[in-house]
Amino acid sequence: MNLILLGAPGAGKGTQAELLVEKLSIPAISTGNMLREAIANGTELGKKAKQYMDGGLLVPDELILGIVADRVAQPDCQNGFILDGVPRTLAQAEALEEKGVKIDHVVSIEVDDSEIEGRMTGRRVCAKCGASYHVVANPSKTEGICDLCGGELVIRKDDAPETVRKRLQVYHASTEVLKDFYAKLGRLRTVNGSQSIEGANEDILKAIGAQV
Ligand code: ADP
Ligand code: ADP
Ligand code: ZN
């Protein structure tokens, strides 16, 4: 089963991807995590992506398509994968179709902009594995330490309120059109993201016909 998680920054894509990885036993592919790793490792990709990410802008499509095509071709993706945060533009979505990357369900996690800022100010992410936490809604068992890998929890530079506002604008201007694109292909499933993490997860599983 090949899935796309779509939604505004802070809608809960990363959080839901982690739960789906466990329940569906398929890997999650987060372009945001891959790019942050590239920046941390000082690679060419990281150097090219950093300025865009710090400004809350999208990284150019060519860079994204290269890393996604390589990743979905890995053996662990044979039984399916979850794309978290990609595609984010019509060009990215069209390129996936052209490359023959088959998508079964596109789950749009819907959360009002007014709710996003509070989520972002409380977000903490693992510097090592990228797992996402919230100081109130989804705290780690030990403060500052990742439950999954023991890595250090940090605040993302682009979660500053002004950058979050920019990222929301970019979402509405460039990414939201993907809902129409996938609705026309009959693959769009819409889920209410303004409920508990568990509630949203149940709705996602129902929407993709994988109630477990
Ligand atoms: P969030 O989950 O909060 O929406 P991500 O971790 O997915 O954030 O992305 C962080 C940043 O990484 C984006 O603001 C953008 O600069 C870059 N990025 C991630 N995925 C893509 C993509 N598919 N296309 C372009 N830029 C991307
Ligand atoms: P995205 O990957 O879409 O940017 P995240 O999964 O990182 O979003 O979630 C953004 C923040 O909101 C994190 O701090 C996360 O713990 C929190 N969060 C996720 N889902 C919910 C929810 N249903 N209710 C409250 N907070 C949530
Ligand atoms: Zn971790």
Side-chain angles (χ1 to χ4, degrees), residues 101-116:
V101 178
K102 217 179 105 323
I103 303 297
D104 300 297
H105 305 280
V106 177
V107 179
S108 175
I109 305 174
E110 309 269 324
V111 175
D112 274 355
D113 284 10
S114 58
E115 236 184 276
I116 297 294

Side-chain angles (χ1 to χ4, degrees), residues 3-90:
L3 305 177
I4 291 174
L5 297 184
L6 202 65
K13 302 180 296 297
T15 302
Q16 294 300 332
E18 279 167 45
L19 295 173
L20 293 172
V21 164
E22 274 178 41
K23 295 190 177 163
L24 304 175
S25 303
I26 52 176
I29 301 173
S30 159
T31 42
N33 285 351
M34 290 164 91
L35 293 167
R36 279 184 288 280
E37 202 180 313
I39 291 175
N41 293 333
T43 67
E44 275 311 304
L45 170 70
K47 283 178 197 154
K48 287 182 188 150
K50 188 176 186 327
Q51 50 174 345
Y52 297 102
M53 293 174 75
D54 286 349
L57 302 173
L58 293 179
V59 171
D61 292 330
E62 317 80 76
L63 295 179
I64 299 295
L65 288 166
I67 59 176
V68 173
D70 285 351
R71 186 64 189 87
V72 297
Q74 300 291 312
D76 66 326
C77 291
Q78 258 175 17
N79 294 326
F81 52 78
I82 302 158
L83 295 180
D84 160 14
V86 68
R88 251 179 161 95
T89 62
L90 211 45

Side-chain angles (χ1 to χ4, degrees), residues 126-131 133 146-151 153:
C126 175
K128 211 160 128 192
C129 77
Y133 298 86
C146 178
D147 293 347
L148 300 178
C149 79
L153 301 188

